[in-house]
Amino acid sequence: MRLLIDADACPVVDIALGIARAHHVPVTLVCDDAHEMRREGALTVTVLRGADSADLALVNMLEHGDVVITQDYGLAALCLARGARALDQNGRAYDSGNIDMLLGMRHMAAHARRAGGRVKGPPKRNRTQDEAFARELEKLLQGIE
């Protein structure tokens, strides 16, 4: 098992690295060349900028049983299809019970934006979200469901 992080805009990279180190799980950070992402103890894979280039590179690296951290529902769906586990930055596990609904919400938001509407973004990140993420990643790496 490896931990792969969609690192372009991930607010929990350092938290995830600390937990992965404690469990001796290797970590790979995947980002495009618009982001400088280097962390001690992690392999960094940098790809050329392009629509979903980092996401596609991450999916192509996946092996069954890997764990992925991502905020992207589309990437999470691809990871699940490849036999990986996926978790968002707030500790929510993506699974067959929620991914279709999340993808539907993403589609509706994109449709509203194309029609000139606005979609409210997430509130400012807080410590409670970091704690929830850490707790869920810890459980996942320990094999507790």
Side-chain angles (χ1 to χ4, degrees):
M1 173 193 351
R2 299 172 301 161
L3 178 63
L4 292 93
I5 302 175
D6 178 13
D8 284 339
C10 184
V12 294
V13 169
D14 294 325
I15 295 168
L17 276 171
I19 294 169
R21 262 189 223 116
H23 291 278
H24 308 288
V25 173
V27 177
T28 301
L29 306 175
V30 182
C31 59
D32 68 28
D33 60 0
H35 301 87
E36 185 62 34
M37 180 64 60
R38 301 269 182 249
R39 295 292 194 285
E40 186 176 329
L43 170 67
T44 299
V45 175
T46 305
V47 298
L48 294 176
R49 252 174 275 193
D52 300 320
S53 60
D55 296 348
L56 295 174
L58 190 151
V59 168
N60 285 327
M61 286 183 242
L62 275 180
E63 296 175 8
H64 187 83
D66 285 343
V67 176
V68 176
I69 308 298
T70 185
Q71 301 177 52
D72 184 317
Y73 303 152
L75 175 56
L78 292 171
C79 294
L80 293 174
R82 298 280 308 257
R85 308 280 305 267
L87 193 66
D88 78 4
Q89 74 282 359
N90 297 321
R92 173 180 48 203
Y94 298 106
D95 59 34
S96 60
N98 65 13
I99 196 66
D100 288 338
M101 177 200 60
L102 294 169
L103 288 169
M105 290 172 31
R106 180 178 99 159
H107 175 74
M108 288 173 30
H111 182 73
R113 283 191 302 276
R114 281 192 303 272
R118 298 189 63 149
V119 178
K120 186 176 178 182
K124 184 176 178 182
R125 188 156 186 84
N126 62 52
R127 176 185 280 170
T128 304
Q129 291 167 304
D130 288 345
E131 291 167 352
F133 169 79
R135 190 171 43 252
E136 293 306 313
L137 181 58
E138 185 77 39
K139 284 181 191 176
L140 191 58
L141 294 184
Q142 288 177 357
I144 300 170
E145 293 190 36

